[in-house]
Amino acid sequence: GLGDGASKISPNLATGIRMLVVLPLAWAVVFAEGSFFQMGRIVPRQWNFLLLSGLAIGLSWLFYFFALAKADATSVAPVDKSSMLFTFLFAMIFLGESLSWQKAVAGLLVLAALGVMLIPSPPAAKAAAVSQPTTAFAPTLLTEPTSKP
């Protein structure tokens, strides 16, 4: 999560801080490569894609940090990566891209992985998963000796 108790921060604040880093960095790259002057060539269909994908990214970041405030990063990250499916969809609708069999398979694999991650673990399995590394690395520390000297 994003901390506990007094160290817990708002997901909105986390997103705002992240944007303060990303925004100047992105525009620095645009100006460094001289691509700023290409803005006049962007057609309405491309603007729609860029604005919708920007909205999706912004919402994704907000939801990502909100989810981190509620769950572990290992549970949140796979859900976040499912945004690739929306990219495929937006690219087909607004940019006229076709869906190749490779993209379709990749999308299905992402959906399958997401489905697996969303299956809740039974409480006993969670406890066993947590204690397993400890017993695997230190079996002699956790068992009683079978014979006394």
Side-chain angles (χ1 to χ4, degrees):
L2 290 174
D4 297 318
S7 67
K8 189 171 187 161
I9 64 168
S10 160
N12 298 323
L13 175 61
T15 302
I17 292 170
R18 190 174 180 182
M19 286 301 301
L20 285 175
V21 173
V22 172
L23 189 65
L25 181 63
W27 280 105
V29 171
V30 166
F31 284 108
E33 74 175 4
S35 60
F36 176 79
F37 301 104
Q38 295 176 3
M39 284 185 62
R41 298 191 313 209
I42 300 174
V43 298
R45 190 174 190 168
Q46 291 168 321
W47 274 114
N48 288 337
F49 174 79
L50 292 170
L51 294 175
L52 283 174
S53 66
L55 178 63
I57 288 170
L59 289 173
S60 169
W61 286 3
L62 284 172
F63 294 148
Y64 182 76
F65 284 109
F66 179 77
L68 280 177
K70 305 287 183 193
D72 294 332
T74 55
S75 299
V76 173
V79 176
D80 178 58
K81 297 307 171 201
S82 68
S83 64
M84 178 181 82
L85 301 172
F86 291 103
T87 302
F88 286 171
L89 184 64
F90 288 162
M92 288 186 308
I93 293 170
F94 295 105
L95 300 179
E97 292 185 12
S98 61
L99 182 65
S100 66
W101 71 268
Q102 295 96 333
K103 291 176 187 175
V105 169
L108 289 173
L109 288 171
V110 168
L111 273 175
L114 183 59
V116 169
M117 289 299 296
L118 293 177
I119 298 171
S121 299
K126 288 180 183 177
V130 170
S131 65
Q132 185 179 11
T134 305
T135 58
F137 291 114
T140 57
L141 296 175
L142 298 176
T143 59
E144 293 184 31
T146 55
S147 63
K148 294 183 180 179

